[in-house]
Amino acid sequence: MINIFDQLDLRDLYYFQCIATLSHVGKAATQLHKTQPALTESVRRLERSLNTQLFIKNGRNIKLSPSGELLLLRSHKILNSANDIVKEIKEFDSNEHGQIRLGVVPTAAHHLILPITKILTKNFPDVQLKAVIGQTDVLYEQLEKREIDLVIGLNADLHDNFEWIPFYQDTMVVVANSSHKVFQEEVSLNKLSQHKWVLAPPSVMSRQWLDRAFELNGLPKPEVQIETNLLLMIPSVIMQTDLLSFISRRNLNFPEASGQFLKEVPIAELNMQRQYNVISRKDSYLSLPVKNLKNLLVEQGASIFESQGQPEALL
């Protein structure tokens, strides 16, 4: 019977992970503040325990052997689990303290950050909130690396290691200012393809969906005159130009002093349903404050969204 305690040392595994990531013992020694001989010996201990070669020379550097690649893959889960255990034990007697690391897509940030902050400061005054606002792909990467605890994100391709709970559904629509000439003509995809647009970058899910909708109908992608990730800028741009855009239907209650307002262009083919989810890692430790926030979003997230009658739910 193999005794795991005779096989792997977590410190050696951590050193191995650093060496493998940098592909260089010297660079790893500098980063870890260890000597090169100490790191070399830690690798040798692992190789003796596992009876395999973990690295292969690659010029002046080194690269992982097939066994090394497998160990690196598994080492992330092992070390992350160990860190979770330490974190859970430390927080066992201080459930009302700690930190919540929350990732939020820009779409949701305006509507949820302030209400969440008010709730936390009232009910959990000793809990620190670290909010990271970013696009979905960046937040998912941080969640996978355990740099954040929860993500408020949109429906998209999710990692197999994630679990998600939907809490709010929204609709994206084509909009223009109320005096736009598009409302004086018969609306069709072909007609809309002849106008210019202000849109989010191609990396944003709603932009990708819109581009595909035109392409699937044999039409060119929308001609983008202004591309921006500055969400608060878009309503004013639409209002003061003849550009079209693609934003949340909830944004339509945004009047200007001139009397103009944002108006939905009626074309059902370009109505995109999207879903907001609370996303976390499967089988991962969540502190009590993180669990409470997760439950709050699941139970009250929709009502919080609806109560925020502001125009910035855009991309």
Side-chain angles (χ1 to χ4, degrees), residues 34-258:
K34 298 291 180 181
T35 65
Q36 291 190 45
L39 295 188
T40 300
E41 181 56 31
S42 73
V43 172
R44 287 174 179 167
R45 281 194 297 269
L46 286 173
E47 290 179 332
R48 287 195 298 268
S49 296
L50 300 172
N51 193 28
T52 189
Q53 184 178 4
L54 298 174
F55 291 100
I56 302 171
K57 287 186 178 180
N58 183 28
R60 293 184 177 181
N61 296 324
I62 55 176
K63 66 178 182 179
L64 289 168
S65 68
S67 296
E69 291 178 353
L70 177 59
L71 180 60
L72 179 61
L73 179 65
R74 298 290 186 247
S75 70
H76 291 292
K77 187 171 184 179
I78 294 170
L79 293 174
N80 287 336
S81 296
N83 286 331
D84 277 350
I85 292 171
V86 172
K87 184 178 178 182
E88 185 172 2
I89 295 300
K90 285 184 175 180
E91 294 181 351
F92 184 75
D93 293 323
S94 57
N95 280 330
E96 294 184 358
H97 297 74
Q99 182 185 74
I100 299 174
R101 301 170 302 172
L102 177 67
V104 190
V105 293
T107 330
H110 174 79
H111 300 276
L112 296 177
I113 293 297
L114 181 57
I116 287 172
T117 301
K118 288 181 178 179
I119 292 169
L120 288 178
T121 53
K122 179 180 179 180
N123 298 324
F124 298 96
D126 296 320
V127 172
Q128 180 186 23
L129 174 65
K130 178 184 177 183
V132 179
I133 300 173
Q135 296 299 339
T136 301
D137 54 344
V138 176
L139 295 179
Y140 285 176
E141 181 179 353
Q142 291 182 321
L143 183 62
E144 177 67 18
K145 292 181 177 178
R146 297 175 182 250
E147 295 173 357
I148 53 181
D149 303 307
L150 294 176
V151 168
I152 300 174
L154 295 164
N155 50 319
D157 293 333
L158 295 177
H159 196 287
D160 290 340
N161 291 336
F162 296 164
E163 63 180 16
W164 62 96
I165 303 175
F167 70 91
Y168 186 72
Q169 185 165 304
D170 189 25
T171 304
M172 299 283 288
V173 296
V174 178
V175 298
N177 73 63
S178 56
S179 62
H180 198 289
K181 63 182 180 181
V182 73
F183 298 111
Q184 302 168 13
E185 57 191 23
E186 183 179 351
V187 178
S188 67
L189 282 172
N190 185 50
K191 288 283 188 180
L192 295 184
S193 69
Q194 299 170 25
H195 292 279
K196 295 183 179 180
W197 298 65
V198 50
L199 292 173
S203 60
V204 175
M205 184 185 66
S206 59
R207 168 72 180 277
Q208 295 171 3
W209 187 95
L210 185 68
D211 287 346
R212 284 197 302 271
F214 278 88
E215 289 180 323
L216 289 173
N217 284 275
L219 296 169
K221 297 177 183 178
E223 182 180 352
V224 180
Q225 185 165 9
I226 299 178
E227 181 177 289
T228 179
N229 57 5
L230 296 176
L231 310 188
L232 300 180
M233 168 185 172
I234 291 182
S236 296
V237 172
I238 303 171
M239 205 76 73
Q240 299 176 35
T241 67
D242 288 329
L243 300 177
L244 303 180
S245 194
F246 192 55
I247 62 178
S248 169
R249 181 174 277 158
R250 297 186 66 251
N251 188 58
L252 297 180
N253 58 349
F254 183 46
E256 277 213 339
S258 64

